[in-house]
Amino acid sequence: MRVRTRSSAIIGTICLVASLALTTASADEAAAPRPAAKVALTNVATAQNPTAGAAGPGGKVWIAERAGTVRVLGDQGLSRPVLDISADTTTDGERGLLGIAFDKRFAYFYISYTDLEGTSTVDEFAVRNGKIQPHTRRTVITQTQPYANHNGGDIKIGPDGYLYIALGDGGSGGDPHGYGQSLDTLLGKMLRIDPRGGTPYAIPEDNPFVDDPNARDEIWAYGLRNPWRFSFDAVKGDLWIGDVGQNDWEEIDWARADSEGGENYGWGQMEGTHPFRGGTEPANHVPPAYEYDRTNWGCSVTGGYVYRGKAIPALKGQYVYSDYCDGTVRSLQLKNGEVTGMTDLGVNGGEVISFAQGGNGELYVLAIGGSVFRLDPAV
């Protein structure tokens, strides 16, 4: 794929957001209903405020800690830090080390954090023989943040090999600057860039707004408030985003793997499927695949993953997620491209801040207080 290079390093991390109905179910997902999955949370390690995880070299899961350290999960728990940028980050508000990702060959490692001025920053390191090479560190993209909340910051390498970055709307409350619907800013967006294609990065030629002089070329999707954890289905390639609501509605968005980008998830005109403060629904609004209100439980969705492991067959093909304020791990059942139901999996991880997917497809649940759980079959 041809790319157009860009010389300015202007961006940062994104907050998750999202989209539509749901993915076309594969044969195993569309078959006769399976019994509800019986699961357990196994505490496999204790970290210092874990915020993100990624599958790394040798099948190991790497865990990011908010203050700026990264450790590797092994049979005996977490290693000593393999990376420490604590002198370069700040943890006021919702800031810190917020995301990590490897490229497909485990040749490069990416970190997403807020620097000492609160600027969202994505840095790259070369990896050799499974080890980070500190001297190769370079900044890929930055984005100034007007407030200390809604930084987003999750990052992933997509099935296409490009780097996706989730950025929130800049913070405060109610999107006071209208960044969610403004295409001339990276805030409130999902970005898609080629970090190795240019200096400091390149823009994929098929990004949806490359021919729009009034829009930033890096934008893949927009209308996000605080996309808090996104992922790609390891089998289908579909994009899933957990977008935190303002006061009333939490939403989970979805985009098909063959999407050409450009989805408008509606914020700050919409909160889920509901007009926000008298807002008008955009004509191109992509409604969430699932939403829930705050009347009974929860107040801040934590996006997860479609389960593709082997340990819990009854959970296969379901989207697993949680809520920071509630902590219960839940799943969405999918059939023929629609959400057919939600299941309370009967386990609670506390203040669930993130999920991680191992190289074998098994899932880990991270609680900001320190617990690193593995999602296992119940005995």
Side-chain angles (χ1 to χ4, degrees):
M1 178 180 297
R2 298 190 306 275
V3 295
R4 178 153 56 90
T5 60
R6 185 181 186 88
S7 60
S8 57
I10 334 173
I11 311 184
T13 17
I14 305 185
C15 295
L16 280 206
V17 171
S19 113
L20 199 77
L22 285 177
T23 165
T24 302
S26 59
D28 61 313
E29 294 163 1
R34 296 184 296 251
K38 299 184 183 301
V39 307
L41 291 179
T42 302
N43 194 325
V44 295
T46 300
Q48 295 294 320
N49 304 128
T51 51
K60 300 289 188 180
V61 174
W62 291 38
I63 301 293
E65 297 173 315
R66 186 183 179 197
T69 47
V70 179
R71 304 174 189 266
V72 180
L73 181 62
D75 295 337
Q76 304 304 316
L78 292 172
S79 71
R80 293 178 178 274
V82 295
L83 180 67
D84 186 348
I85 64 155
S86 56
D88 304 324
T89 191
T90 179
T91 58
D92 62 309
E94 297 174 3
R95 294 168 170 166
L97 176 57
L98 302 174
I100 57 175
F102 284 93
D103 77 325
K104 291 185 175 183
R105 297 183 299 112
F106 303 113
Y108 295 96
F109 181 61
Y110 297 92
I111 61 173
S112 171
Y113 66 100
T114 50
D115 70 10
L116 296 176
E117 285 70 47
T119 297
S120 290
T121 305
V122 175
D123 285 356
E124 175 195 87
F125 296 83
V127 179
R128 300 290 181 267
N129 300 317
K131 295 183 179 180
I132 293 173
Q133 306 299 300
H135 67 280
T136 66
R137 181 179 182 179
R138 73 180 185 92
T139 294
V140 177
I141 193 168
T142 63
Q143 170 61 50
T144 302
Q145 292 285 352
Y147 305 100
N149 60 335
H150 301 185
N151 296 155
D154 203 9
I155 54 175
K156 296 286 189 299
I157 296 292
D160 53 15
Y162 293 126
L163 180 64
Y164 289 72
I165 306 166
L167 291 176
D169 66 4
S172 186
D175 194 10
H177 304 291
Y179 291 147
Q181 292 296 306
S182 298
L183 293 176
D184 60 355
T185 176
L186 300 180
L187 294 171
K189 310 297 187 296
M190 181 71 72
L191 311 183
R192 178 184 186 242
I193 63 173
D194 179 359
R196 299 295 304 163
T199 304
Y201 60 90
I203 296 170
E205 189 179 64
D206 60 348
N207 269 13
F209 299 107
V210 291
D211 295 322
D212 186 342
N214 299 313
R216 293 294 300 268
D217 296 345
E218 298 91 340
I219 296 171
W220 180 252
Y222 66 108
L224 304 176
R225 181 179 177 272
N226 190 23
W228 192 252
R229 303 312 179 218
F230 70 97
S231 65
F232 292 94
D233 185 334
V235 170
K236 293 184 175 181
D238 296 344
L239 172 64
W240 291 86
I241 304 168
D243 195 27
V244 179
Q246 176 72 36
N247 296 316
D248 300 313
W249 296 92
E250 302 298 307
E251 70 180 84
I252 294 170
D253 301 307
W254 168 86
R256 196 182 302 275
D258 60 3
S259 166
E260 296 180 353
E263 287 87 357
N264 179 3
Y265 297 112
W267 180 255
Q269 295 294 309
M270 305 291 291
E271 186 180 10
T273 61
H274 311 270
F276 177 71
R277 294 181 181 173
T280 300
E281 182 174 16
N284 63 342
H285 177 222
V286 178
Y290 183 77
E291 65 179 8
Y292 61 91
D293 65 36
R294 296 180 174 184
T295 56
N296 295 315
W297 58 272
C299 75
S300 182
V301 65
T302 298
Y305 289 82
V306 174
Y307 180 75
R308 295 299 182 184
K310 296 181 178 179
I312 314 170
L315 196 59
K316 185 178 179 181
Q318 297 183 34
Y319 178 74
V320 179
Y321 69 100
S322 188
D323 186 288
Y324 179 80
C325 302
D326 174 74
T328 301
V329 181
R330 294 176 164 85
S331 69
L332 298 179
Q333 293 80 51
L334 318 176
K335 183 177 181 180
N336 297 328
E338 296 182 355
V339 173
T340 60
M342 183 274 288
T343 297
D344 180 335
L345 294 176
V347 293
N348 191 296
E351 294 175 321
V352 176
I353 194 73
S354 191
F355 288 81
Q357 185 178 53
N360 60 359
E362 301 303 332
L363 296 185
Y364 295 80
V365 181
L366 311 183
I368 192 63
S371 297
V372 177
F373 300 102
R374 186 178 61 235
L375 194 63
D376 286 336
V379 178

